[in-house]
Structure formats: C-alpha cells, structure tokens
Amino acid sequence: MELTDIQRLAVAEAMGKAIKEMTNPRGGAHGAPTLRTECDDALRADFEEDGTDRRRIIINGQEVGTLSARVSKPEIGTRVVMSNRAAMLNWLRSSDDGRDALERLLADGRTRDAVVAAATADGILPDGCRVEDYEKPAAWLGTTLRVSVPKVGAALGAELPSAVVGLLGGADA
C-alpha cells in the first residue's frame, strides 16, 4: 500500500508518540524506568565495574549506532583547606587580610569553603590553613545515543512492515 504524505505524517506522529516514552532518558511517567534508562543503567554499571564507556549497537550483523557514556574530566589540583578552626578564626579577627576576607564572605554569603576561598583570594595562606593535593575522579554525566535511521531501516527491512521501512528510509517500501 502506498501512503500519501499526510498518511505518512500521521503514521510517523503516532509512532513517535508511542515510542517517545520508551526512549526518554529521564524515565517514564512518574519516574518509571524506560527502555532507555534501563540501557543507560546497564552501561553505567559496566562503566563503574570495568570502565566500559560505550556499546556498539548491531542489528542483523550491521552496526547501526552506539550508546556512549558521558563523563566529566578527572580533576587533580592543589587547594587550601582549613586545618585549625580556632587559628583561622583568630587570623580572620586579628589581621587586616582576615577582615578583608570576612568582608568578601559577608558580601557573598557562602559557607566554610567560601571563607577559605575568600581568605586566600589575595594569595595569603591564613593561619589555620594548609595546602593539600586533591583528586576528583571522573563523574557520570549520562549517555549519548547515536543511531543511523537508514542503517536501522536497512538492517531490519525484511522484518518490518513496509510502511515502517519507508519511514526509516531503508529498503524500498
């Protein structure tokens, strides 16, 4: 059966609505798992276990796409941390640099880490602080799914209704 453009549009819209929930990376209705979240969770488990960061998607022997982990870059650096609160408080109260740091804190309104940042903004290492190395490992950010519509259509062409194959741009419908 040959579909008109408006019929093809209706089929495409219906398929899109029916499939959208399955592929939602944020989960389905009321946070229910979706096919996408289940695949993402499986890749994340593999990433955490052995560092696997991508899966090739192969249908009928043809690679049609990939599911890849998105991770933050690892971070290694040096920072100032407070090691003696009383000494730091004394420095804040008794030195011009400390009072300047308190002024920055009050203007900014943040917490302890901000106090340290404000106190060291001028390159001063306050009493009660020390410099330490730190490492922030790569963090999971999610996944990226790439799928070639024509390749899926070609890979499944003989197994799909001709209307669907036509929408995917695979074998002649």
Side-chain angles (χ1 to χ4, degrees):
M1 168 171 86
E2 189 71 26
L3 297 177
T4 66
D5 286 348
I6 199 162
Q7 290 170 328
R8 289 178 59 231
L9 176 62
V11 171
E13 184 66 16
M15 288 175 56
K17 286 180 178 182
I19 293 170
K20 185 176 182 180
E21 187 146 327
M22 289 176 57
T23 61
N24 188 342
R26 292 174 186 84
H30 308 292
T34 65
L35 184 57
R36 174 64 185 268
T37 61
E38 289 175 2
C39 290
D40 287 356
D41 291 348
L43 181 59
R44 183 175 187 165
D46 289 345
F47 176 78
E48 290 172 353
E49 181 178 319
D50 61 19
T52 299
D53 66 353
R54 73 190 64 237
R55 292 276 183 237
R56 292 176 35 214
I57 303 170
I58 300 174
I59 299 175
N60 289 335
Q62 295 183 41
E63 184 169 338
V64 299
T66 58
L67 180 66
S68 305
R70 290 183 298 116
V71 296
S72 65
K73 292 185 179 184
E75 188 179 307
I76 297 174
T78 302
R79 63 182 170 204
V80 176
V81 295
M82 184 170 35
S83 58
N84 182 317
R85 193 171 80 167
M88 175 79 174
L89 184 57
N90 184 52
W91 177 84
L92 286 167
R93 289 179 174 164
S94 64
S95 71
D96 289 339
D97 293 324
R99 283 187 288 282
D100 291 344
L102 286 171
E103 288 293 328
R104 284 190 286 270
L105 174 64
L106 293 174
D108 198 17
R110 299 200 185 178
T111 61
R112 183 185 70 217
D113 289 341
V115 172
V116 172
T120 59
D122 297 325
I124 306 282
L125 183 62
D127 294 345
C129 292
R130 69 184 191 303
V131 175
E132 72 176 15
D133 293 330
Y134 73 98
E135 184 172 337
K136 180 179 176 184
W140 182 264
L141 299 176
T143 63
T144 299
L145 177 63
R146 290 185 178 88
V147 175
S148 169
V149 173
K151 288 181 181 179
V152 170
L156 288 175
E159 299 174 34
L160 294 174
S162 61
V164 175
V165 174
L167 287 171
L168 293 175
D172 292 329

